[in-house]
Each structure stands twice: as C-alpha cells, then as structure tokens.
Amino acid sequence: MNPPHQAPTRTPERSPVRGGPRLSPVARDRARTRTSDLVHDELVSAIRELRLAPGAALSETDLAGRLHVSRTPVREALTRLVDAGLVHVVPQVGTRVGRIRLHDVEEARFVRENLEVAAFEAACSRPAPDVTVLRELLERQEHSRRTENHDAFFAADEAFHGEIFAISGHPGAWQVVRRTKLQLDRLRRLSLPDSAAMRELIDEHRLIVDALENSDPAAGRALIARHAGRALACGPALRAEYPGYFTD
C-alpha cells in the first residue's frame, strides 16, 4: 500500500470539491483580536465542509491571499492545525490537509451517539418538550433537498441536532460533540450528493421528533443509534469512490 502522501489524488467526477478552495476573507472583530484565531476557525470550517479537500496541498502564500491576511497568522493557524492532526507536513512534499481515517470516524460516532442519546433522554424528561423549532428545521431540510443546496442541508442538519441538546437543557454539550466529529462530518458531506440518502436522513429526523414529542426515550435511543451510524456504514463505499480522500 502506498504511504499516505502518495495516495491517489484523483478527484472523482461526482466529488463535491470543485476548483480552488472557497475560503471567506477574515477580518478582525471587537470580540476577538487575534487574526490567527479567525484564520484557524475559517480553515477548520473549510476542512469540515470539504471546501478544502482531504489531501489538498496548502500554501501559506495562497491561503494568505484568499483570506486577505498576512502570512504570519496563516502560519500560526496551520501550526495549531498540525498539532490537532487536521493538517500534515510531509517532508519533500509539503503541507497537506489530513485525509479521513475511518477509525477516527468511529470514535466520533461513539461520542456523538452516546451524548445525543443522553440529551434526548433529558429532553424527554421535560414536561411537554417544545418541538416547534425542530419541525421548522425539517422543512428547511426538505427545501434544501429539493433545491439540491447541500450547504443549506448540512447547516439545517447541524441546527437540528443542536436543538435537541438545547431542549435537553445542555446546549454546551453539543459544542463538545462538534469539536470531536470533524472526521465524521467530512464523511457525511461526501454522502450528501445522494438524494436518496438525504431523503432517508429527513425521514429519520421526523421519527426522532415524533419520539421526542411523545416522550418516548426507548424509540429515541434506537433511532439515534441508527442515525449516528449511517455515515460510517457508507464509509467503505465512499472510500472506494474517493480513494485519494482516505488513509489508514
């Protein structure tokens, strides 16, 4: 087997990553004065959302130009991403976005499933949990699927699961989940162009909302377990389709 930096880099025709990376320029704000923090957050989002493809080469000069900043905050942000394992420096090759490891995806699934089940059970224990926002998010996902707006679909999906934690009274736990599931999110993004998969996700979401409205923790546990494992189940097929995006 080729070492990771020699893995195929072919971008399949159906790949969600097309052309150069879509990065949003960063600007200082009053709440945060470190430009490197803003650069770091934008690069993490770009990696999570596949705007920076797994295995993609990274250049300080290019990133600085796209983000409208100097090279110093880019260098500082990349150092943090290397420490976090999201970016790798390969001798005689250069700096590249880390590829997806299915073992890391499985660990993220474990964390997400167990914390979300706990949040669901806590939400069920509340008197008459309000699912209005969840119903609205289902409609947003339906619209996003029909219009093939994958970014909007993913955003609504994230908001849906975050709302379950909010209803439970533990919204901060969702931020813990988000920090641990970047690899899982990249796998989820790869599966989104499949309209049938999007349809199944929405249907499962609807059943989860019904279980919460009926205060049925047993049904919720089963649904969340199946839902959380869906992306990982697609892993082998996605790896075969996008060989350059994965590593062992």
Side-chain angles (χ1 to χ4, degrees):
M1 179 176 294
N2 293 331
H5 67 275
Q6 295 179 349
T9 57
R10 175 180 63 86
T11 301
E13 182 179 351
R14 196 178 68 85
S15 171
V17 182
R18 298 184 185 277
R22 295 179 291 115
L23 299 176
S24 300
V26 302
R28 290 178 181 271
D29 59 32
R30 294 180 180 178
R32 303 177 66 175
T33 58
R34 283 170 50 98
T35 303
S36 62
D37 289 342
L38 300 174
V39 172
H40 173 270
D41 290 352
E42 172 61 15
L43 293 179
V44 169
S45 294
I47 292 171
R48 184 190 303 274
E49 298 164 7
L50 298 183
R51 290 182 281 130
L52 284 172
L58 299 174
S59 159
E60 286 183 11
T61 301
D62 178 65
L63 291 175
R66 291 178 181 275
L67 296 170
H68 296 184
V69 298
S70 69
R71 291 177 59 182
T72 298
V74 172
R75 186 179 305 115
E76 293 173 356
L78 287 176
T79 297
R80 291 171 60 186
L81 293 175
V82 169
D83 291 342
L86 300 179
V87 167
H88 302 297
V89 179
V90 183
Q92 299 181 336
V93 174
T95 304
R96 293 186 178 274
V97 177
R99 291 183 169 86
I100 300 169
R101 295 178 68 242
L102 291 181
H103 174 73
D104 293 340
V105 174
E106 164 56 24
E107 287 195 341
R109 180 213 59 79
F110 178 85
V111 172
R112 174 188 172 179
E113 178 183 331
N114 283 278
L115 284 181
E116 191 159 353
V117 164
F120 185 90
E121 292 174 340
C124 282
S125 69
R126 292 179 170 268
D130 185 357
V131 298
T132 303
V133 174
L134 292 174
R135 298 286 185 197
E136 292 172 353
L137 289 167
L138 284 173
E139 293 307 310
R140 280 173 51 186
Q141 284 198 296
E142 286 281 11
H143 178 73
S144 301
R145 184 190 66 82
R146 290 193 299 270
T147 58
E148 298 184 349
N149 188 333
H150 302 143
D151 290 339
F153 184 93
F154 189 81
D157 187 283
E158 289 287 279
F160 178 92
H161 292 284
E163 178 64 12
I164 291 175
F165 282 82
I167 294 171
S168 78
H170 303 287
W174 173 243
Q175 299 309 316
V176 174
V177 173
R178 287 201 81 242
R179 287 195 294 271
T180 64
K181 70 184 183 74
L182 186 141
Q183 298 282 30
L184 174 61
D185 286 343
R186 294 204 288 176
L187 201 66
R188 291 166 60 208
R189 293 291 296 217
L190 280 178
S191 70
L192 280 189
D194 186 339
S195 181
M198 294 168 73
R199 172 76 271 156
E200 292 172 357
L201 287 171
I202 295 172
D203 290 343
E204 286 182 354
H205 281 173
R206 199 175 303 281
L207 291 173
I208 289 171
V209 176
D210 290 344
L212 179 55
E213 191 170 40
N214 294 327
S215 297
D216 188 345
R221 281 194 298 270
L223 288 164
I224 290 171
R226 185 174 68 189
H227 190 72
R230 177 178 290 279
L232 187 62
C234 299
L238 290 171
R239 180 168 187 162
E241 186 171 1
Y242 304 98
Y245 289 174
F246 290 81
T247 188
D248 293 326

